[in-house]
Amino acid sequence: MTVSRDRLLDAFAQVLDPDAFDDYGPNGLQVEGKPQIGKIVSGVTASAAFIDAAIAAGADAIVVHHGLFWRGMDGTVTGWMKQRLQRLLAHDINVLAYHLPLDAHPEWGNNAQLGLHMGWGAGAPLREKSLVFRAELATPYANGQALAEQLQRRLGRTPICINAGCSIRTLAWCTGGAQGYFQKAIDAGVDAFVTGEISEPQAHLARECGVSFIAAGHHATERYGMPALAGHIAGQLGLEHEFIEIDNPA
């Protein structure tokens, strides 16, 4: 079975409402390929390795969290960009990308799916369209170190944990490079905040405010939303779907 590219785009748009977000790059169709689609391949980032794997898998369209184009790029098609686009155009593959709309979705998004994967529940955004999710834990963690150890087991990364000694009953998280949202988590009165990355200020804030900060990996925290969403859309439309993991130590 195949569906039109427009129908596939409409299906994603109905779930994610991408026009509601002021994002760092274009959401939706980034590269136009064949008009009829029978198989979609999902992944985290439209890297050359992922594109090659999708070609080998027979993809008509790829859908990713990190697409090809970002605000501030110079717009030239040279080097690595040329190599990626050359592969895609040669095989007539559509590229769909959804960044912040995927992070924010309360059911299929990266935050919700990370919460379910970790056993915290899907959580709830701090406010409508917020990228920071919060949950009251049914089973508290003894301390931040216990939370970091579970993250390491479930995500396969060694987290950075600051202020590990406090017990954790309320938890906030935001996948990817969301260390700048730590203050919002502190203001929400949580015991710990989990994200993908850490910058210099967060260590001081964690120690001074008594809130655990855990950086568990950008890629590691963002690899659950896209396969869940793409699988859901493919099931609705009767399409074949495959998730391809390209390992990234980040």
Side-chain angles (χ1 to χ4, degrees):
M1 179 177 178
T2 65
V3 301
S4 69
R5 179 177 54 243
D6 287 345
R7 186 177 177 196
L8 181 65
L9 286 165
D10 286 345
F12 277 102
Q14 287 174 16
V15 173
L16 294 177
D17 190 18
D19 291 341
F21 294 84
D22 180 19
D23 212 333
Y24 304 99
N27 288 295
L29 186 66
Q30 290 196 348
V31 177
E32 182 179 299
K34 60 194 66 174
Q36 290 294 124
I37 294 162
K39 180 173 183 177
I40 57 176
V41 170
S42 63
V44 178
T45 299
S47 65
F50 174 75
I51 292 167
D52 285 343
I55 291 168
D60 300 313
I62 64 173
V63 56
V64 293
H65 182 50
H66 301 137
L68 293 167
F69 306 107
W70 299 96
R71 186 186 302 163
M73 293 176 70
D74 66 9
T76 59
V77 180
T78 59
W80 60 267
M81 179 62 82
K82 177 203 169 185
Q83 295 300 319
R84 293 183 189 183
L85 287 172
Q86 193 171 47
R87 290 164 162 85
L88 292 162
L89 295 173
H91 294 272
D92 209 15
I93 295 175
N94 296 276
V95 178
L96 284 65
Y98 298 95
H99 187 233
L100 296 184
L102 181 69
D103 290 324
H105 195 272
E107 182 177 4
W108 303 110
N110 281 325
N111 285 315
Q113 290 296 315
L114 177 65
L116 293 172
H117 181 75
M118 291 300 304
W120 308 329
L126 294 183
R127 63 182 190 282
E128 186 179 2
K129 302 295 184 184
S130 173
L131 299 176
V132 179
F133 279 42
R134 184 181 189 275
E136 300 283 340
L137 300 175
T139 304
Y141 293 93
N143 49 45
Q145 186 59 39
L147 172 55
E149 289 172 357
Q150 188 199 30
L151 282 160
Q152 182 171 349
R153 290 192 299 271
R154 298 303 303 275
L155 303 185
R157 298 289 187 278
T158 301
I160 296 172
C161 182
I162 309 296
N163 191 39
C166 58
S167 62
I168 299 169
R169 295 180 178 274
T170 58
L171 176 65
W173 66 94
C174 186
T175 64
Q179 60 269 48
Y181 290 124
F182 188 29
Q183 185 64 58
K184 294 184 183 297
I186 293 169
D187 294 343
V190 302
D191 300 315
F193 179 64
V194 175
T195 187
E197 301 181 11
I198 185 170
S199 298
E200 194 273 346
Q202 285 80 52
H204 302 295
L205 287 175
R207 293 166 183 150
E208 293 168 22
C209 297
V211 178
S212 292
F213 181 97
I214 301 176
H218 192 133
H219 175 88
T221 57
E222 292 200 321
R223 60 187 178 205
Y224 303 103
M226 189 52 76
L229 174 63
H232 169 68
I233 296 294
Q236 281 188 329
L237 299 180
L239 300 177
E240 184 180 355
H241 166 248
E242 180 179 350
F243 172 68
I244 294 179
E245 167 79 349
I246 302 297
D247 189 48
N248 187 329

